[in-house]
Amino acid sequence: KNAKSGLNYFATVKNAKYLPASFIILSLLSASFLSSWAFIIYLAALSASIIYSYIRIKRYFLIGNLYAALFFSSIFIMGAFTAGAFNAIFFYLPLFLLHGFCAKLRGDISDYEGDKKNDIITISVRFGQDKGVLLFHSLIFLIVILVLAFYVKFLIMIPFLLLSSFFLQKKRFKTA
C-alpha cells in the first residue's frame, strides 16, 4: 500500500492501466474457448464492468448491488451455456443472484467508512452499518434455507456463508 494515500500500489503507479488491460486480453483469449452464447455473455459482462467502473455506478443506491448480483450470476450462466445445461439456469439463477447481492452487501459493510466519507450511498450508508449487517444476516439465513430445501448440491456454501456472517457479527469487517 502507498503510505501517503492508503491506496494499493498499482492504483497510484502511472503504468497501472497495463495490468487490467493485460487481464482483459487474457480473459478474452480464455473466453474464446467457450461456446458462442457463453462468449456473448462474457462480452456483455466485460462491457458492463467497464461501464460500471467508468460511470462509478457504485455511487447510485442499489445499482451496485444489483450489478454485482448479475455479474456474479453471469459466471454461472456462461458455465451452463458451455455445458449445454440451459434449463438449469432458471433453477439456479435465484441462488446465484442472492449470493452475488450478499457478497456486494458484505463488501459495502466493510467499506462503510470510505463510502460515507466519499458520499457513496450504499445500503449500509443509507440505513446504517448495523442495519446493513442485519440485512446481510437475514439474506444469509435465506440462502441457507434455500440451499437446504432446493440446492443441496451447494451445501459446501453454508460453512463459508456462516463464517462470513460470524465475522460481521463480531465487527471484524475486513476479515468477513
Side-chain angles (χ1 to χ4, degrees), residues 134-147:
L134 180 64
L135 176 61
F136 179 81
H137 290 315
S138 302
L139 293 174
I140 292 298
F141 180 74
L142 177 61
I143 291 173
V144 169
I145 297 299
L146 289 172
V147 166

Side-chain angles (χ1 to χ4, degrees), residues 43-135:
L43 289 176
L46 177 63
S47 302
S49 296
I50 292 168
I51 292 168
Y52 178 90
S53 296
Y54 184 75
I55 299 177
R56 300 193 177 263
I57 289 178
K58 183 179 180 179
R59 293 186 178 278
Y60 304 103
F61 182 65
L62 282 180
I63 301 296
N65 297 82
L66 296 173
Y67 168 80
L70 286 170
F71 184 77
F72 182 82
S73 300
S74 71
I75 297 164
F76 296 98
I77 293 170
M78 285 188 296
F81 272 112
T82 302
F86 181 74
N87 292 337
I89 292 171
F90 298 107
F91 180 71
Y92 292 109
L93 192 59
L95 177 68
F96 298 139
L97 286 170
L98 192 56
H99 188 273
F101 189 88
C102 283
K104 178 69 169 107
L105 178 59
R106 191 215 45 82
D108 289 345
I109 292 166
S110 297
D111 295 341
Y112 173 77
E113 293 298 328
D115 289 344
K116 191 172 181 180
K117 189 167 110 178
N118 292 302
D119 294 324
I120 297 171
I121 308 300
T122 60
I123 290 172
S124 47
V125 169
R126 169 142 317 157
F127 300 111
Q129 195 172 32
D130 289 338
K131 289 186 180 172
V133 170
L134 180 64
L135 176 61

